[in-house]
Amino acid sequence: MKHLKKGMGLLLSSLFMVSALAGCGNANGGADGKTAGGTASGDKKIVLKMANITKADSQLSLTLKNIGEELKAKTNGRISPQYFPGGELGNETDMMQQLNTGSIQMAVITTAQLSNSSPAFGAWLMPYLVDTHEQAYKLWTSDESMKLFDTLKNENVVGLGYASSGFRYILGTKPVQSVKDLEGYKLRTTPSPTILDYWNGLKAGPTPMPLTDVYTSLQTGVIKGVDIDSESLASEKLTEIAKYLNADKHMYWAGGILINKDLWNSLSPEDQKLIKDTVLEKTKQNSVDIQKNEDKLLSEAKTKMGLTLNEVKREEYDPVVKSVRETWSKKSPEIAKFLEKADKIKQEK
């Protein structure tokens, strides 16, 4: 009996030691190289529900899809993307809420929408920010641009980069040949404070409305024109009604590529690097593709769309451009630094 008790004691002692060692191993990510969740680092299966507001064949949608497909290919399907373009999951406010809760994992959200979460994103809505897509890509990959994501303090997201749907133009049923023509000119625009400041400064009549209402509003004369990105100008078929185009590049239309922060923090450093590198690669392609699309659009504007191209001298806009920039630079140090960087990029040869 005495030997039996002694044997049992040794057995219990051994079991306790094994248990303690196993616990220590898990606390440090697993003695067998696995995480506490039991998934080996680099083998974690990830489903990425990816959403955005624009149509499936738009550049913002295609860029997001290209990112997902590349991640799937590079991980042999371990990272599995699911796509929800065209506002399938709701508007951008809805998508931000879903990103925060993790019901979707990645999205492209326009900088206009992001400016509702942080005024610093008004930096992207400054007039005449850049002149080319090459400059825009340099700007959106800069530290000054990436630091804008740090201002999203109340959102459970991490910013990965930007993508573009092109420069913004004026398309109207009435020609705009000078700044004077814009006085009282009722045009649809996005209700961002920085954008409204610009149009109000030009004494225009900015009229926020859903893009889906623009066609009918142009048709019935509710508005004379629309402030719109080059992609939507063609895809929404607005040129069937509005025949006067100012391809003035008065604003650059970008979207932030965001991922849910909880998911991001759970990823291995290797997966985080893979995602960052893929975003950088595919958004570079986006900047090239959008340039090609705009070149094609403008080359066919007269011949295929029957548009009349008008141009207003840039210096006519300068007083308002300067005023808007100065006003918002004082409101936000991030905008001030962003504008300084944009100006430096524009001066590069």
Side-chain angles (χ1 to χ4, degrees):
M1 189 71 178
K2 191 173 183 180
H3 290 297
L4 179 61
K5 285 183 180 179
K6 185 176 180 181
M8 286 293 291
L10 287 170
L11 177 61
L12 289 171
S13 182
S14 298
L15 286 171
F16 177 78
M17 287 291 289
V18 169
S19 176
L21 286 170
C24 290
N26 284 338
N28 290 288
D32 55 359
K34 294 186 177 182
T35 64
T39 305
S41 178
D43 292 335
K44 180 179 180 180
K45 290 186 177 180
I46 303 162
V47 175
L48 287 181
K49 289 178 70 175
M50 313 170 87
N52 71 293
I53 198 68
T54 56
K55 293 180 178 180
D57 61 352
S58 71
Q59 270 298 309
L60 292 184
S61 293
L62 291 173
T63 301
L64 195 59
K65 184 175 183 180
N66 289 341
I67 290 168
E69 290 301 305
E70 186 72 6
L71 290 172
K72 182 179 180 180
K74 286 180 176 177
T75 62
N76 294 317
R78 181 172 60 81
I79 295 179
S80 176
Q82 297 175 0
Y83 307 107
F84 301 90
E88 286 183 26
L89 301 181
N91 60 32
E92 289 194 307
T93 300
D94 297 329
M95 283 188 271
M96 279 301 293
Q97 292 173 346
Q98 292 165 43
L99 263 178
N100 280 321
T101 60
S103 56
I104 62 175
Q105 287 72 46
M106 192 179 288
V108 179
I109 305 293
T110 62
T111 52
Q113 175 66 32
L114 291 177
S115 71
N116 294 327
S117 297
S118 167
F121 278 91
W124 273 108
L125 307 174
M126 292 291 108
Y128 296 104
L129 190 62
V130 290
D131 297 324
T132 68
H133 290 287
E134 184 180 2
Q135 291 173 359
Y137 181 75
K138 287 181 180 179
L139 183 57
W140 85 46
T141 54
S142 68
D143 287 343
E144 289 80 0
S145 183
M146 293 303 293
K147 282 179 181 177
L148 296 179
F149 290 119
D150 296 339
T151 67
L152 296 171
K153 298 186 184 300
N154 295 323
E155 309 290 353
N156 188 34
V157 298
V158 171
L160 300 173
Y162 297 87
S164 168
S165 60
F167 281 100
R168 290 183 81 81
Y169 300 155
I170 302 171
L171 180 72
T173 56
K174 301 290 182 183
V176 176
Q177 297 173 317
S178 72
V179 168
K180 278 282 184 186
D181 292 334
L182 283 169
E183 292 184 11
Y185 194 95
K186 203 169 181 183
L187 81 167
R188 181 268 180 183
T189 191
T190 304
S192 165
T194 45
I195 295 175
L196 294 176
D197 278 0
Y198 175 66
W199 290 115
N200 285 325
L202 293 169
K203 299 180 182 178
T207 307
M209 68 171 61
L211 191 56
T212 50
D213 294 346
V214 172
Y215 190 98
T216 304
S217 297
L218 283 170
Q219 204 170 37
T220 58
V222 172
I223 55 175
K224 291 181 182 177
V226 56
D227 162 21
I228 193 167
D229 62 274
S230 59
E231 270 212 323
S232 298
L233 182 150
S235 65
E236 298 299 323
K237 300 182 179 178
L238 303 178
T239 55
E240 292 177 354
I241 304 165
K243 294 296 183 180
Y244 297 95
L245 177 65
N246 288 64
D248 56 356
K249 299 182 178 181
H250 61 267
M251 203 166 290
Y252 196 78
W253 205 239
I257 301 173
L258 306 172
I259 191 169
N260 173 266
K261 186 182 285 186
D262 296 330
L263 171 62
W264 182 255
N265 290 340
S266 75
L267 298 177
S268 67
E270 293 79 12
D271 276 347
Q272 288 182 352
K273 184 178 186 304
L274 173 63
I275 291 172
K276 283 183 177 179
D277 290 348
T278 302
V279 167
L280 198 63
E281 175 190 341
K282 296 305 176 182
T283 55
K284 174 61 177 175
Q285 186 60 47
N286 163 240
S287 72
V288 173
D289 290 343
I290 200 72
Q291 177 67 67
K292 290 178 181 177
N293 292 349
E294 285 186 352
D295 289 344
K296 185 174 185 289
L297 171 72
L298 294 176
S299 69
E300 296 176 349
K302 292 181 180 179
T303 56
K304 289 195 175 181
M305 300 179 187
L307 300 182
T308 298
L309 299 181
N310 296 304
E311 187 175 350
V312 177
K313 292 180 181 177
R314 178 74 69 89
E315 53 264 32
E316 290 190 46
Y317 294 110
D318 283 348
V320 173
V321 172
K322 183 179 179 183
S323 174
V324 172
R325 281 172 162 241
E326 286 178 351
T327 297
W328 283 92
S329 290
K330 289 175 183 175
K331 289 182 180 181
S332 167
E334 290 87 4
I335 291 179
K337 291 175 183 176
F338 184 88
L339 288 174
E340 285 178 16
K341 183 63 176 180
D343 289 340
K344 284 180 182 177
I345 289 172
K346 286 168 75 173
Q347 291 166 9
E348 291 174 2
K349 300 244 176 147

